[in-house]
Amino acid sequence: MVDDRLTRADGSNRSAVRADSPLFGELLLKLGIVTPNQIEEALALQSLNGQRLGEALISLGYVTREQIQDALGEALGLHNAPQGFTPAQPPLGELLVGLKYLTVSQLDEALALQRRTGRKLGEIVVENGYCTYKQLYEGLGLQNRVTGRQEPPARSTQPHEGGHHRVMVVDDSPLATAFVQDGLVSLGYEVICFQDPYEALEQVGKVQPAIVLSDLDMPGIDGMELCRRIKEGPSRAMPVIILTANDNDTERVKGLRAGADDYVNKSASMDELAARIESVMRRTGETERMRKLFARYTSDAVVEEILKSPDSVVLTGEKREVTILFADIRNFTGLADSLPPEQTVGVLNQVLGGLSDAVLTCGGTLDKFLGDGLMAVFGAPVFREDDALRALQSAKMMMAFMVELRQRAEAEWATTRQGRPLTLELGIGINSGMAVAGNIGGAMRTEYTCIGDSVNVAARLCALAGPGEILVGERTVELLAGHESNFEELPPVRLKGKPHPVPLFRALW
């Protein structure tokens, strides 16, 4: 039992509740809601399944969730009142003690000084070094929330819109954590709480919450640092909302720069907090849709760049300058005729896997596979000044990969002397120019691609390329002027659809 007494501002006394007791079991006893035997039984169940004490009491049928919520309100200074009656503000000092920011003796000293000087209690406790301004603001925020508290709508049988999301709450204050948890649980959310931010970081990957709510002011690492570490780790796509009683613009900007998706004052109602959660979840859902759309085509780095500025990506169609690369395996049809089907597919996957790796490594977009070849785009959906250079580097990496593949095949054949060594060759065509980029297709299937004359020229240059040859169009060579790229000028060639011969170059690698 707890014997401490809290001195109220009006001079009356009421029993304190230790904020570190399991969901305020002592208060439940004081209110006559449970018996000591029921507490003991719930503690035994808690030791077996790790539930919070309140949840254990609910599962045993000794209390209702409404009774638990009322007990938390009592711990915050919220007194039972007739329906429609707005309760008076709970004493600030009592809240600060409940939040473990003040001791009872410190509150007694501050109240005595307040009676002598008439000054505000908040000013006294901060000046005496008993708590910080941020802790004071948190107490004031909870005080305001209690004053305007209404019965939570989710006590009805209908879950809140978007309920059933798993929410991780990180706050070193047991009282604040329990209050947020019970409020969100009553709104239909699944809530997992951590009072240690380091433990929260360790468990975020395992818990896989839909969203993280973090207090700003915590020991060890604060909410902004927790957010930054989440955003820089494997769970970087996970949305984070920072909860704070310090709502000044400087702190808000710092939080947003740390990667926070929203910044909510602790005095906000539970309904407003739920609405903010749903708003962030909708934005996150759209971001994930973009991520999944482009993850099939391009590298993670390009996807992240797209997500940083999604307004710059036009999916419905836009005209822009791009560099197109076509690569085609030479003599693969003849080889396929001599191999079993499963071996044919295995060889093709091995080759196309190496070629697509070269595209993604150089920051290109893998447009499509074309049987025994592929098409790649550099400059859409993300434009870079060195797109032409990236395309040429990708082509050279492809050629180096094919050389290595042949060498491995010849070494294996020399050992086994079975069949014949793999002698695949590659031809590549590269061209730059204006093209229309966007989602092309119908209602059942669409794909992001580029169309236009520059694309057709690149495809025809690939068809002209001999084994081990990279043929390059005139515009690409112009874009590469000043770079250490060597080209051999070839006689102009006539291409289908072109009224005049087209300048032609061979890249030396």
Side-chain angles (χ1 to χ4, degrees):
M1 294 306 119
V2 177
D3 297 323
D4 301 347
R5 307 293 288 179
L6 292 183
T7 303
R8 295 169 57 101
D10 59 7
S12 62
N13 293 319
R14 66 186 291 259
S15 295
V17 179
R18 288 206 314 266
D20 58 347
S21 57
L23 199 62
F24 315 101
E26 292 90 344
L27 178 62
L28 296 176
L29 286 170
K30 286 180 177 293
L31 294 176
I33 297 174
V34 294
T35 66
N37 288 338
Q38 289 172 338
I39 288 287
E40 292 298 327
E41 189 175 344
L43 287 172
L45 179 60
Q46 182 186 39
S47 66
L48 292 175
N49 58 22
Q51 284 182 310
R52 297 164 60 217
L53 178 61
E55 297 294 337
L57 287 167
I58 292 171
S59 64
L60 289 170
Y62 294 148
V63 297
T64 65
R65 187 168 297 281
E66 287 77 9
Q67 288 174 313
I68 294 294
Q69 184 76 13
D70 287 340
L72 285 169
E74 179 69 18
L76 288 170
L78 175 64
H79 308 289
N80 294 328
Q83 187 172 5
F85 176 77
T86 301
Q89 283 189 336
L92 175 62
E94 195 167 311
L95 286 176
L96 293 173
V97 172
L99 288 166
K100 299 175 68 177
Y101 294 155
L102 284 182
T103 65
V104 175
S105 60
Q106 287 172 337
L107 178 58
D108 288 341
E109 293 176 11
L111 287 172
L113 184 58
Q114 182 187 37
R115 285 191 290 269
R116 292 197 305 270
T117 63
R119 298 176 61 201
K120 292 182 179 179
L121 180 65
E123 295 177 357
I124 295 172
V125 296
V126 171
E127 286 184 8
N128 287 0
Y130 297 153
C131 67
T132 66
Y133 272 114
K134 289 183 180 180
Q135 292 168 341
L136 175 63
Y137 292 150
E138 182 177 345
L140 289 170
L142 287 174
Q143 189 182 51
N144 292 334
R145 181 188 296 170
V146 169
T147 303
R149 180 180 183 269
Q150 300 174 352
E151 287 298 306
R155 285 191 181 179
S156 68
T157 57
Q158 297 299 320
H160 190 274
E161 175 193 0
H164 306 299
H165 288 315
R166 177 177 292 175
V167 180
M168 174 186 281
V169 177
V170 187
D171 194 320
D172 62 304
S173 166
L175 180 62
T177 301
F179 191 80
V180 172
Q181 180 176 27
D182 275 67
L184 290 180
V185 166
S186 70
L187 290 173
Y189 294 91
E190 178 187 357
V191 183
I192 299 175
C193 296
F194 292 89
Q195 292 173 16
D196 183 349
Y198 291 103
E199 183 183 3
L201 275 175
E202 292 175 357
Q203 295 296 319
V204 67
K206 181 178 179 181
V207 172
Q208 286 294 307
I211 192 168
V212 175
L213 308 183
S214 174
D215 183 27
L216 176 63
D217 189 21
M218 296 184 291
I221 59 174
D222 61 13
M224 283 186 282
E225 178 63 16
L226 175 71
C227 176
R228 186 186 65 78
R229 294 191 187 188
I230 290 176
K231 296 296 185 178
E232 291 180 354
S235 303
R236 57 184 176 273
M238 191 171 295
V240 177
I241 294 179
I242 292 181
L243 304 175
T244 181
N246 189 353
D247 200 23
N248 63 57
D249 290 339
T250 301
E251 293 297 326
R252 183 183 296 272
V253 169
K254 286 181 181 178
L256 296 175
R257 283 178 176 171
D261 296 87
D262 206 345
Y263 202 88
V264 181
N265 194 288
K266 283 189 173 181
S267 63
S269 68
M270 200 59 64
D271 276 342
E272 180 182 345
L273 178 58
R276 295 289 192 96
I277 290 174
E278 295 310 313
S279 175
V280 170
M281 291 300 299
R282 283 193 294 271
R283 296 201 306 268
T284 303
E286 179 63 20
T287 299
E288 283 305 299
R289 187 187 72 82
M290 293 277 286
R291 185 188 301 276
K292 290 178 181 178
L293 174 64
F294 285 104
R296 296 178 297 166
Y297 307 125
T298 189
S299 65
D300 290 341
V302 173
V303 172
E304 292 304 320
E305 194 165 338
I306 293 171
L307 296 178
K308 286 179 184 176
S309 52
D311 293 340
S312 66
V313 178
V314 180
L315 301 180
T316 53
E318 62 173 337
K319 201 167 186 179
R320 58 164 65 197
E321 184 171 40
V322 296
T323 298
I324 306 295
L325 181 151
F326 279 87
D328 183 75
I329 305 172
R330 299 295 184 250
N331 71 317
F332 185 77
T333 303
L335 177 66
D337 291 339
S338 64
L339 296 175
E342 61 275 12
Q343 189 175 354
T344 299
V345 173
V347 171
L348 185 59
N349 286 340
Q350 182 183 17
V351 175
L352 292 180
L355 302 186
S356 58
D357 285 347
V359 173
L360 300 182
T361 299
C362 294
T365 299
L366 185 60
D367 189 294
K368 61 175 68 71
F369 291 110
L370 303 165
D372 55 0
L374 60 77
M375 170 185 168
V377 181
F378 295 80
V382 174
F383 171 79
R384 292 189 175 99
E385 294 292 339
D386 60 347
D387 282 324
L389 181 60
R390 290 171 179 269
L392 182 60
Q393 289 174 339
S394 175
K396 292 180 178 181
M397 287 178 63
M398 291 179 183
M399 289 300 185
F401 167 75
M402 294 301 289
V403 171
E404 181 183 350
L405 189 64
R406 286 195 302 272
Q407 290 174 346
R408 291 203 307 265
E410 290 171 358
E412 182 179 346
W413 178 82
T415 302
T416 62
R417 295 291 177 177
Q418 293 180 356
R420 58 177 180 173
L422 192 66
T423 56
L424 294 178
E425 296 282 0
L426 191 67
I428 298 176
I430 301 175
N431 188 52
S432 302
M434 300 303 295
V436 175
N439 273 340
I440 308 296
M444 297 298 292
R445 184 177 184 274
T446 63
E447 64 177 5
Y448 185 84
T449 189
C450 292
I451 57 176
D453 182 66
S454 60
V455 179
N456 296 335
V457 170
R460 292 184 178 116
L461 293 182
C462 179
L464 288 174
E469 193 171 41
I470 304 172
L471 295 184
V472 182
E474 182 179 30
R475 177 57 181 162
T476 304
V477 174
E478 291 175 358
L479 291 172
L480 290 171
H483 295 281
E484 294 183 4
S485 302
N486 296 321
F487 297 98
E488 177 186 353
E489 187 172 0
L490 303 176
V493 294
R494 288 191 173 273
L495 299 179
K496 183 179 179 181
K498 291 291 186 180
H500 305 291
V502 174
L504 185 62
F505 300 84
R506 177 190 293 124
L508 304 178
W509 55 280

